PDB file of all heavy atoms in Angstrom:
ATOM      1  N   ALA A 727      62.833  46.410 -13.698  1.00 96.00           N
ATOM      2  CA  ALA A 727      61.411  46.545 -13.597  1.00 96.00           C
ATOM      3  C   ALA A 727      60.805  45.900 -12.255  1.00 96.00           C
ATOM      4  O   ALA A 727      59.889  46.400 -11.671  1.00 96.00           O
ATOM      5  CB  ALA A 727      60.804  46.018 -14.765  1.00 96.00           C
ATOM      6  N   ALA A 728      61.303  44.777 -11.952  1.00 96.00           N
ATOM      7  CA  ALA A 728      60.838  43.986 -10.780  1.00 96.00           C
ATOM      8  C   ALA A 728      61.170  44.740  -9.605  1.00 96.00           C
ATOM      9  O   ALA A 728      60.345  44.872  -8.657  1.00 96.00           O
ATOM     10  CB  ALA A 728      61.494  42.710 -10.731  1.00 96.00           C
ATOM     11  N   VAL A 729      62.394  45.347  -9.410  1.00 96.00           N
ATOM     12  CA  VAL A 729      62.820  46.067  -8.277  1.00 96.00           C
ATOM     13  C   VAL A 729      61.845  47.282  -8.096  1.00 96.00           C
ATOM     14  O   VAL A 729      61.422  47.663  -7.105  1.00 96.00           O
ATOM     15  CB  VAL A 729      64.226  46.595  -8.339  1.00 96.00           C
ATOM     16  CG1 VAL A 729      64.567  47.541  -7.259  1.00 96.00           C
ATOM     17  CG2 VAL A 729      65.071  45.223  -8.132  1.00 96.00           C
ATOM     18  N   LEU A 730      61.646  48.041  -9.154  1.00 96.00           N
ATOM     19  CA  LEU A 730      60.834  49.248  -9.164  1.00 96.00           C
ATOM     20  C   LEU A 730      59.434  48.914  -8.682  1.00 96.00           C
ATOM     21  O   LEU A 730      58.760  49.629  -7.982  1.00 96.00           O
ATOM     22  CB  LEU A 730      60.800  49.882 -10.566  1.00 96.00           C
ATOM     23  CG  LEU A 730      62.129  50.430 -11.035  1.00 96.00           C
ATOM     24  CD1 LEU A 730      62.047  51.043 -12.442  1.00 96.00           C
ATOM     25  CD2 LEU A 730      62.569  51.617 -10.039  1.00 96.00           C
ATOM     26  N   ALA A 731      58.809  47.738  -9.278  1.00 94.00           N
ATOM     27  CA  ALA A 731      57.489  47.426  -8.756  1.00 94.00           C
ATOM     28  C   ALA A 731      57.353  47.077  -7.319  1.00 94.00           C
ATOM     29  O   ALA A 731      56.561  47.433  -6.603  1.00 94.00           O
ATOM     30  CB  ALA A 731      56.952  46.063  -9.570  1.00 94.00           C
ATOM     31  N   ALA A 732      58.499  46.445  -6.862  1.00 93.00           N
ATOM     32  CA  ALA A 732      58.569  46.123  -5.427  1.00 93.00           C
ATOM     33  C   ALA A 732      58.801  47.301  -4.534  1.00 93.00           C
ATOM     34  O   ALA A 732      58.155  47.510  -3.482  1.00 93.00           O
ATOM     35  CB  ALA A 732      59.865  45.138  -5.104  1.00 93.00           C
ATOM     36  N   ARG A 733      59.603  48.340  -5.045  1.00 94.00           N
ATOM     37  CA  ARG A 733      59.731  49.537  -4.371  1.00 94.00           C
ATOM     38  C   ARG A 733      58.373  50.422  -4.368  1.00 94.00           C
ATOM     39  O   ARG A 733      58.151  51.106  -3.453  1.00 94.00           O
ATOM     40  CB  ARG A 733      60.870  50.357  -5.021  1.00 94.00           C
ATOM     41  CG  ARG A 733      62.075  50.077  -4.671  1.00 94.00           C
ATOM     42  CD  ARG A 733      63.171  51.034  -4.866  1.00 94.00           C
ATOM     43  NE  ARG A 733      62.971  51.964  -5.939  1.00 94.00           N
ATOM     44  CZ  ARG A 733      63.950  52.852  -6.446  1.00 94.00           C
ATOM     45  NH1 ARG A 733      65.142  52.720  -5.950  1.00 94.00           N
ATOM     46  NH2 ARG A 733      63.598  53.706  -7.302  1.00 94.00           N
ATOM     47  N   ALA A 734      57.636  50.179  -5.475  1.00 93.00           N
ATOM     48  CA  ALA A 734      56.378  50.927  -5.396  1.00 93.00           C
ATOM     49  C   ALA A 734      55.521  50.417  -4.267  1.00 93.00           C
ATOM     50  O   ALA A 734      54.739  51.145  -3.740  1.00 93.00           O
ATOM     51  CB  ALA A 734      55.677  50.692  -6.743  1.00 93.00           C
ATOM     52  N   LYS A 735      55.582  49.183  -3.908  1.00 90.00           N
ATOM     53  CA  LYS A 735      54.886  48.677  -2.775  1.00 90.00           C
ATOM     54  C   LYS A 735      55.250  49.296  -1.508  1.00 90.00           C
ATOM     55  O   LYS A 735      54.524  49.651  -0.693  1.00 90.00           O
ATOM     56  CB  LYS A 735      55.045  47.088  -2.716  1.00 90.00           C
ATOM     57  CG  LYS A 735      54.236  46.499  -1.638  1.00 90.00           C
ATOM     58  CD  LYS A 735      54.408  44.921  -1.726  1.00 90.00           C
ATOM     59  CE  LYS A 735      53.508  44.186  -0.625  1.00 90.00           C
ATOM     60  NZ  LYS A 735      53.515  42.806  -0.753  1.00 90.00           N
ATOM     61  N   SER A 753      58.257  50.992 -14.033  1.00 94.00           N
ATOM     62  CA  SER A 753      58.051  49.544 -14.081  1.00 94.00           C
ATOM     63  C   SER A 753      57.131  48.995 -15.119  1.00 94.00           C
ATOM     64  O   SER A 753      57.456  48.075 -15.914  1.00 94.00           O
ATOM     65  CB  SER A 753      57.701  49.019 -12.697  1.00 94.00           C
ATOM     66  OG  SER A 753      57.497  47.622 -12.662  1.00 94.00           O
ATOM     67  N   GLN A 768      51.785  43.336 -11.723  1.00 90.00           N
ATOM     68  CA  GLN A 768      52.423  43.943 -10.535  1.00 90.00           C
ATOM     69  C   GLN A 768      52.466  45.493 -10.635  1.00 90.00           C
ATOM     70  O   GLN A 768      51.938  46.173  -9.792  1.00 90.00           O
ATOM     71  CB  GLN A 768      53.813  43.424 -10.258  1.00 90.00           C
ATOM     72  CG  GLN A 768      53.962  41.969 -10.061  1.00 90.00           C
ATOM     73  CD  GLN A 768      53.162  41.410  -8.869  1.00 90.00           C
ATOM     74  OE1 GLN A 768      53.310  41.855  -7.845  1.00 90.00           O
ATOM     75  NE2 GLN A 768      52.114  40.550  -9.208  1.00 90.00           N
ATOM     76  N   TRP A 772      49.997  48.558  -8.692  1.00 91.00           N
ATOM     77  CA  TRP A 772      50.504  49.704  -7.938  1.00 91.00           C
ATOM     78  C   TRP A 772      50.192  51.112  -8.530  1.00 91.00           C
ATOM     79  O   TRP A 772      49.886  52.027  -7.941  1.00 91.00           O
ATOM     80  CB  TRP A 772      52.063  49.614  -7.558  1.00 91.00           C
ATOM     81  CG  TRP A 772      52.295  48.393  -6.707  1.00 91.00           C
ATOM     82  CD1 TRP A 772      53.088  47.339  -7.169  1.00 91.00           C
ATOM     83  CD2 TRP A 772      51.705  48.031  -5.479  1.00 91.00           C
ATOM     84  NE1 TRP A 772      53.024  46.275  -6.105  1.00 91.00           N
ATOM     85  CE2 TRP A 772      52.213  46.855  -5.087  1.00 91.00           C
ATOM     86  CE3 TRP A 772      50.881  48.764  -4.698  1.00 91.00           C
ATOM     87  CZ2 TRP A 772      51.849  46.254  -3.818  1.00 91.00           C
ATOM     88  CZ3 TRP A 772      50.500  48.213  -3.454  1.00 91.00           C
ATOM     89  CH2 TRP A 772      50.986  47.033  -3.061  1.00 91.00           C
TER      90      TRP A 772
END
Side-chain angles (χ1 to χ4, degrees):
V729 170
L730 293 174
R733 283 202 330 197
K735 181 175 187 175
S753 179
Q768 299 300 302
W772 296 120

